[in-house]
Amino acid sequence: MEQVARTAAGAFGLLPAAQDDATDRRGVPGRLGTDPDTVERDLIKLVLTIVELLRQLMERTALHRVDQGGLSEEQEERVGMTLMVLQDRMSELCDRYGLTMEDLNLDLGPLGSLLPPGDG
């Protein structure tokens, strides 16, 4: 069984973490660095990032529908109020966990940032 695991790890280019060194010979971290003191904050950051992305998508969709004339005045007002309340709640949650909206903007490397600049 151990031989199968080693063969599979080799086939996928997976190297076990060295006992004394947290990086492999390529300089790639071999272990996941977790700090029990920051796990909750990191999880909240991830969840808020996803919620902020969805909030921005909903906002853009609503603006598109308004521009297309697909909403009544009452619907426009209701959607606007809902989006404002959601943005306020996001700000409150960020404050509670010591985060800024910029903290929620993940760097996706060559793809750029997750959230558009200037939003939030």
Side-chain angles (χ1 to χ4, degrees):
M1 186 69 152
E2 192 173 315
Q3 177 69 26
V4 172
R6 273 194 300 240
T7 303
F12 291 105
L14 303 173
L15 298 173
Q19 293 296 327
D20 298 322
D21 189 9
T23 60
D24 68 17
R25 62 179 171 239
R26 298 169 295 173
V28 176
R31 296 183 191 154
L32 179 62
T34 57
D35 182 359
D37 298 332
T38 63
V39 169
E40 180 181 8
R41 184 176 186 272
D42 293 343
L43 182 59
I44 290 295
K45 182 178 174 182
L46 177 61
V47 170
L48 290 180
T49 298
I50 293 168
V51 170
E52 177 60 14
L53 178 62
L54 292 173
R55 185 196 69 77
Q56 289 186 18
L57 291 172
M58 289 176 9
E59 185 175 296
R60 283 178 180 75
T61 300
L63 289 174
H64 178 73
R65 288 186 67 192
V66 167
D67 289 345
Q68 298 299 314
L71 298 175
S72 69
E73 259 186 61
E74 182 182 318
Q75 290 172 322
E76 287 178 20
E77 188 167 327
R78 192 170 60 230
V79 166
M81 291 298 295
T82 300
L83 292 172
M84 286 187 341
V85 168
L86 183 55
Q87 185 170 6
D88 289 345
R89 296 297 183 264
M90 286 294 297
S91 294
E92 289 171 13
L93 287 168
C94 283
D95 288 345
R96 180 182 301 169
Y97 289 95
L99 298 168
T100 64
M101 294 306 282
E102 291 80 30
D103 292 333
L104 304 182
N105 198 359
L106 301 177
D107 180 9
L108 301 176
L111 297 175
S113 59
L114 178 66
L115 302 173
D119 283 348

